[in-house]
Amino acid sequence: LLFFIIVSTILMNIIFGVIIDTFAELRARKDEIERDISGRCFICGIDRFVFDQLGDAGNGFRQHITNDHNMWKYLYFQVYLRLKSYDDYSGGESYVFSKTLELVRDPHTHTPLSDVDKTGRSCELKKPLEQIDLLWFPREAAMRLKNQTANMDQQLHQKIKGLQHSLVESSTRLHSQMEKVRKASEAASHSVIPLPPSAPRNIRAGVHV
């Protein structure tokens, strides 16, 4: 009986340990996903700290995902491409269409198939590609950061120019001080050191500094 009690206790502890570890792993994965959703731009993948550091009042990330890289606007753009006629696409729209969608064609005639929407207008049928190319997404790039980087580069350039100007002024002052020291040294080297009257006459006449 004691043997079965010990074995049962050990097995129960092993099972409970596996369950606890599994739930801890799932919780950690869930927290990581939530941090990635709330702390990283869905479109460009840049961390929110970068935008908050460069933004006004520390809300640069919120402004970025609301105005610049709003993921819902990208979804609406895909819906817009499906509803718009293929012949009316602009250059950019045609490029995105070629990366994400394709026309549904008749298997025999290969002509695009059309359907009638709720308004009675005929529109082409489109379907997603089997392998969607998302390279048209601005990965690791944002106009807000480019503008901020340009301003920072300009400020850095101005600071460098200021430091160069200060260095030139300091070098000029140092050169002037060294010139004064040199002239004072030359003047002192040609002056006669007075000796006491008890010194020999030839020494008093010939000693200079």
Side-chain angles (χ1 to χ4, degrees):
L1 180 63
L2 180 62
F3 173 77
F4 289 107
I5 293 175
I6 295 175
V7 171
S8 300
T9 303
I10 294 175
L11 290 177
M12 290 296 292
N13 289 332
I14 293 174
I15 293 173
F16 287 150
V18 172
I19 293 174
I20 292 173
D21 291 342
T22 303
F23 276 105
E25 183 179 355
L26 292 175
R27 189 182 304 109
R29 188 180 304 173
K30 179 174 178 276
D31 294 340
E32 183 179 358
I33 293 174
E34 289 180 352
R35 284 196 302 268
D36 193 55
I37 293 174
S38 61
R40 191 180 298 274
C41 176
F42 178 79
I43 302 301
C44 64
I46 300 177
D47 192 85
R48 72 177 303 155
F49 174 76
V50 177
F51 295 103
D52 289 341
Q53 187 179 22
L54 299 177
D56 299 331
N59 60 348
F61 180 74
R62 178 59 54 185
Q63 295 176 0
H64 171 71
I65 63 175
T66 302
N67 302 322
D68 301 337
H69 287 169
N70 191 322
M71 63 179 180
W72 298 113
K73 292 182 179 179
Y74 279 77
L75 177 61
Y76 298 155
F77 182 62
Q78 286 293 306
V79 176
Y80 168 78
L81 291 179
R82 289 198 177 199
L83 297 178
K84 188 176 181 179
S85 176
Y86 179 78
D87 295 332
D88 297 335
Y89 282 167
S90 63
E93 293 170 350
S94 298
Y95 175 76
V96 175
F97 174 83
S98 65
K99 298 294 183 181
T100 58
L101 299 170
E102 65 178 348
L103 294 173
V104 178
R105 299 180 181 274
D106 185 275
H108 302 288
T109 62
H110 298 286
T111 57
L113 298 179
S114 300
D115 193 7
V116 179
D117 58 12
K118 295 180 180 180
T119 61
R121 185 184 60 179
S122 177
C123 59
E124 297 126 340
L125 292 177
K126 305 178 181 71
K127 66 177 181 179
L129 293 173
E130 293 182 359
Q131 293 183 349
I132 297 177
D133 187 1
L134 295 180
L135 292 179
W136 60 278
F137 269 36
R139 301 300 299 173
E140 300 296 334
M143 292 299 298
R144 186 181 298 269
L145 293 183
K146 290 182 179 179
N147 296 334
Q148 291 288 348
T149 304
N151 294 334
M152 293 177 63
D153 290 343
Q154 185 177 3
Q155 294 176 2
L156 180 61
H157 183 66
Q158 292 177 354
K159 289 182 179 180
I160 292 176
K161 289 182 65 176
L163 290 174
Q164 289 177 345
H165 183 69
S166 300
L167 183 61
V168 171
E169 290 183 349
S170 299
S171 178
T172 303
R173 289 196 298 268
L174 180 61
H175 181 73
S176 177
Q177 293 294 334
M178 292 181 64
E179 188 67 20
K180 291 180 180 179
V181 171
R182 186 183 65 80
K183 291 181 179 180
S185 177
E186 291 179 354
S189 65
H190 291 86
S191 62
V192 178
I193 300 177
L195 297 175
S198 60
R201 181 178 301 177
N202 59 345
I203 295 178
R204 293 201 303 270
V207 174
H208 296 79
V209 294

